[in-house]
């Protein structure tokens, strides 16, 4: 999609949010939930040039409900500070002279796309919340993520990929997946054998 068309679409989503009394005072208005390596940082850089668009926190991503890996969910994370940061962002815009009803505060955590609890949490925070989702060719995205983790010494997967190639990493992942599926099939077969060996329950109709 052309970048101008993308910006126009994203701005339209943000502008569609209408402040209502039923919405929590400190809640965010919209969430850009990912996916990682799909351009959310560029979109954040562009949209936050608009003084009416604010970020809920000091940095682009809050990682409020999901850290950098799918198994790092934080569904029980406290909402108090999260709502405070959102309210502070809105208050700062108002202090600059912007009408509160025109300010849109958003979360830009790209990891939230894989967060199992986020749909319920966001709906609880704001039933009228709007979402921005950016996707990409999955192979290109995987290569981009791989190269990122090779370069980031503090990245969660840096140690795993720093001394390998993308092709070797994919091959190893395929082997691990096949091994996992094989173990699952063996377990399923054992469970069926155990179930078949159990004595049948007594006939409740016997003797009637």
């Amino acid at each position: 999609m052309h970048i101008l068309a993308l910006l126009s679409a994203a701005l339209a989503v943000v502008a569609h949010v209408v402040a209502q009394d039923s919405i929590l005072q400190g809640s965010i208005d919209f969430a850009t939930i990912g996916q990682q390596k799909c351009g959310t940082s560029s979109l954040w850089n562009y949209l936050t040039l608009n003084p009416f668009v604010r970020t809920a926190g000091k940095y682009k991503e809050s990682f409020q409900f999901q850290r950098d890996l799918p198994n790092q969910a934080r569904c029980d994370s406290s909402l108090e500070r999260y709502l405070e940061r959102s309210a502070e962002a809105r208050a700062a815009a108002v202090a600059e002279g912007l009408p509160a009803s025109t300010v849109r505060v958003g979360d830009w955590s790209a990891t939230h796309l894989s967060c199992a609890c986020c749909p319920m949490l966001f709906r609880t925070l704001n039933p009228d919340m709007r979402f921005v989702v950016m996707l990409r060719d999955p192979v290109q995205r995987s290569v981009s993520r791989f190269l990122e983790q090779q370069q980031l010494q503090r990245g969660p997967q840096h140690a795993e990929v720093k001394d390998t190639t993308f092709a070797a990493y994919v091959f190893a992942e395929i082997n691990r997946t096949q091994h996992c599926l094989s173990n699952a099939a063996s377990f399923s077969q054992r469970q069926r054998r155990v179930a078949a060996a159990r004595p049948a329950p007594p006939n409740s109709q016997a003797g009637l």
Side-chain angles (χ1 to χ4, degrees):
M1 181 184 295
H2 192 278
I3 188 62
L4 292 179
L6 177 62
L7 287 174
S8 297
L11 282 171
V13 170
V14 175
H16 187 69
V17 179
V18 179
Q20 298 180 7
D21 292 338
S22 61
I23 299 176
L24 293 175
Q25 182 64 30
S27 178
I28 60 174
D29 300 304
F30 69 96
T32 301
I33 59 175
Q35 180 60 286
Q36 291 175 298
K37 312 310 297 177
C38 291
T40 58
S41 294
S42 294
L43 186 64
W44 176 73
N45 282 318
Y46 296 138
L47 286 185
T48 51
L49 292 174
N50 186 330
F52 294 92
V53 179
R54 301 299 171 112
T55 303
K58 183 178 180 181
Y59 304 103
K60 175 205 168 204
E61 295 183 281
S62 69
F63 296 115
Q64 178 69 24
F65 307 117
Q66 178 76 45
R67 297 298 297 176
D68 202 27
L69 293 175
N71 62 350
Q72 296 177 329
R74 308 173 66 215
C75 297
D76 59 348
S77 179
S78 173
L79 293 177
E80 183 176 357
R81 183 56 188 144
Y82 184 62
L83 295 176
E84 285 179 357
R85 289 196 297 264
S86 178
E88 288 166 359
R90 198 182 309 275
V94 172
E96 294 171 11
L98 302 179
S101 62
T102 64
V103 177
R104 303 293 178 255
V105 180
D107 186 302
W108 300 80
S109 300
T111 57
H112 285 166
L113 185 64
S114 58
C115 166
C117 58
C118 280
M120 179 186 68
L121 287 168
F122 283 136
R123 182 170 178 80
T124 301
L125 288 175
N126 182 352
D128 295 320
M129 188 178 297
R130 297 295 186 266
F131 297 92
V132 178
V133 180
M134 301 179 69
L135 303 175
R136 182 180 181 182
D137 176 87
V139 175
Q140 293 180 359
R141 193 188 83 82
S142 298
V143 172
S144 180
R145 174 71 170 178
F146 177 84
L147 295 175
E148 174 200 59
Q149 291 301 302
Q150 276 194 327
Q151 296 167 6
L152 291 177
Q153 293 186 358
R154 295 186 179 182
Q157 295 172 299
H158 175 73
E160 189 178 358
V161 303
K162 65 177 182 178
D163 296 321
T164 188
T165 64
F166 180 72
Y169 178 77
V170 170
F171 184 75
E173 281 294 303
I174 291 174
N175 285 339
R176 280 192 287 266
T177 301
Q178 290 175 337
H179 180 69
C180 180
L181 291 174
S182 176
N183 287 342
S186 298
F187 177 78
S188 178
Q189 290 175 358
R190 288 197 301 270
Q191 290 297 99
R192 286 196 294 269
R193 287 196 297 267
V194 169
R198 290 174 183 163
N203 189 344
S204 60
Q205 301 298 318
L208 294 181

